[in-house]
Amino acid sequence: MELILNTYGVSLNRDNEGFVITSTDGRQRIPAEGIKSIQISRGAQITSDAVMLAVEREIEILFMDRAGNPIGRVWSPRYGSISTIRKGQLNFTFTHDAVDWIKGVIMQKMENQQALMLLLQTDDEAHEVLVQKNIRRIEDYRSKVNSIDGEVVSDVAPSLRGWEGQASKIYFATLNRFLPEEYRFEQRTQHPATDVANAFLNYGYGILYSKIEGVLIKAGIDPYVGIMHRDDYNRPVLVYDIIELYRIWVDYVVFTLLAHNTISDEFYSVRDGGSFWLEPLGRRVLIQSLNDYLEETIEKDGTVRSRMTHLMLYVQEFAQKLKQFDK
């Protein structure tokens, strides 16, 4: 369970071994047991007593900006205490194994995109032809990624970025054709979004960024040491690498919300300059929809677990892999 405080004036305090949420609607007590994280947006408040209870219970606290991106985090000092993992992580970034790893990440991302495109239902033969054509175009880029090689990631990174970017343009252009006309967009835009679809995608990715960063920290991996994303100063660049495996989860949830006309004018606002931002109702619906999706169980490698558990198991296995490079 996640506590999400994104309403102006709401506050969180401690009550023995639980939390109390105070708002204009009254007070609500919630036991600490079962809470995995607390997300706090601008205008909400949390007391030091509540912070200390969260630390004692190893509940991460995330401070979010209005786009859904984490700008601060409080976590238990017990997270990520194995230094051999982080030392191995640094060594790993300069090996040929890292080249194979990032190639695998990008190829899986493209395969995920192809899979979602296959789910698009249509009775229009022209649309079906378009989908199949674009799936083949992405497959061509997957083949390029698979065939390239280099001693270290920097040898292949420019090519990988270019092919990944081209495949994503094809993918989003295809999805766009199947959205209701009022939600179609010309291109992916960030900081800020210039349409409703991108506002939802950006906020959804922000949620996923924070979850992946938290899982990395708990596994003892430094999120600020990336593999392909290595040049951004003071950014959790490894999160940007790993999220490529899981962006499809956000894409699916957002596409479903838009395609089913679940969105209303109350979900978003348009600010000066034509930028689109999610309002509390829109954020609440997206957060709940994405969390429900992450808690659904699926089979992967013969194991049935929730999607979020599969993500955590992947990161834990990756941490064990990194330990092998502490030599």
Side-chain angles (χ1 to χ4, degrees), residues 25 41 46 50 58 60 69 75 91 97 106 108 133 143 149 153 159 180 217-218 225 236 251 255 270 297 299 301 306:
D25 296 326
S41 299
I46 183 171
E58 298 188 11
E60 63 180 357
N69 298 306
W75 66 84
N91 293 333
D97 295 80
I106 294 173
Q108 184 61 59
K133 174 185 176 181
S143 297
D149 201 7
V153 172
S159 296
I217 292 169
K218 292 178 183 179
V225 178
D251 298 346
F255 179 82
V270 184
T297 56
E299 182 176 350
D301 300 327
S306 70

Side-chain angles (χ1 to χ4, degrees), residues 106-137:
I106 294 173
M107 287 191 292
Q108 184 61 59
K109 175 184 180 179
M110 292 181 181
E111 184 177 331
N112 292 343
Q113 292 173 335
Q114 292 171 312
L116 183 52
M117 291 163 66
L118 282 171
L119 290 177
L120 299 174
Q121 300 294 323
T122 177
D123 296 326
D124 188 321
E125 184 177 350
H127 279 186
E128 183 65 26
V129 170
L130 174 68
V131 169
Q132 294 300 324
K133 174 185 176 181
N134 286 346
I135 286 175
R136 290 192 296 271
R137 292 173 67 192

Side-chain angles (χ1 to χ4, degrees), residues 35-217:
I35 296 176
K36 297 178 181 178
S37 70
I38 300 170
Q39 297 181 20
I40 304 174
S41 299
R42 180 177 297 178
Q45 302 176 32
I46 183 171
T47 66
S48 59
D49 287 345
V51 170
M52 286 188 281
L53 176 59
V55 170
E56 291 167 8
R57 295 300 188 96
E58 298 188 11
I59 300 169
E60 63 180 357
I61 301 173
L62 296 144
F63 294 92
M64 318 293 287
D65 66 15
R66 62 179 180 174
N69 298 306
I71 58 174
R73 182 185 299 266
V74 179
W75 66 84
S76 167
R78 289 187 287 274
Y79 290 179
S81 60
I82 306 174
S83 62
T84 54
I85 294 174
R86 295 190 291 278
K87 288 188 287 185
Q89 180 182 353
L90 288 169
N91 293 333
F92 174 76
T93 60
F94 298 102
T95 66
H96 185 268
D97 295 80
V99 176
D100 291 337
W101 179 81
I102 197 62
K103 285 172 54 181
V105 167
I106 294 173
M107 287 191 292
Q108 184 61 59
K109 175 184 180 179
M110 292 181 181
E111 184 177 331
N112 292 343
Q113 292 173 335
Q114 292 171 312
L116 183 52
M117 291 163 66
L118 282 171
L119 290 177
L120 299 174
Q121 300 294 323
T122 177
D123 296 326
D124 188 321
E125 184 177 350
H127 279 186
E128 183 65 26
V129 170
L130 174 68
V131 169
Q132 294 300 324
K133 174 185 176 181
N134 286 346
I135 286 175
R136 290 192 296 271
R137 292 173 67 192
I138 292 178
E139 187 61 30
D140 289 341
Y141 285 115
R142 286 189 76 241
S143 297
K144 291 178 184 293
V145 172
N146 187 47
S147 62
I148 198 171
D149 201 7
E151 290 299 316
V152 293
V153 172
S154 58
D155 293 338
V156 298
S159 296
L160 293 180
R161 290 191 186 98
W163 296 331
E164 178 188 11
Q166 289 301 313
S168 290
K169 286 182 180 179
I170 295 168
Y171 164 71
F172 280 113
T174 306
L175 292 188
N176 199 36
R177 295 286 293 271
F178 292 84
L179 289 176
E181 188 171 352
E182 62 266 35
Y183 300 133
R184 291 179 185 173
F185 54 98
E186 294 184 4
Q187 61 183 348
R188 277 285 295 129
T189 57
Q190 307 175 52
H191 315 304
T194 56
D195 52 71
V196 177
N198 277 294
F200 272 88
L201 287 170
N202 292 345
Y203 200 90
Y205 293 148
I207 295 170
L208 195 54
Y209 284 137
S210 68
K211 291 181 182 295
I212 293 174
E213 184 178 5
V215 171
L216 288 170
I217 292 169

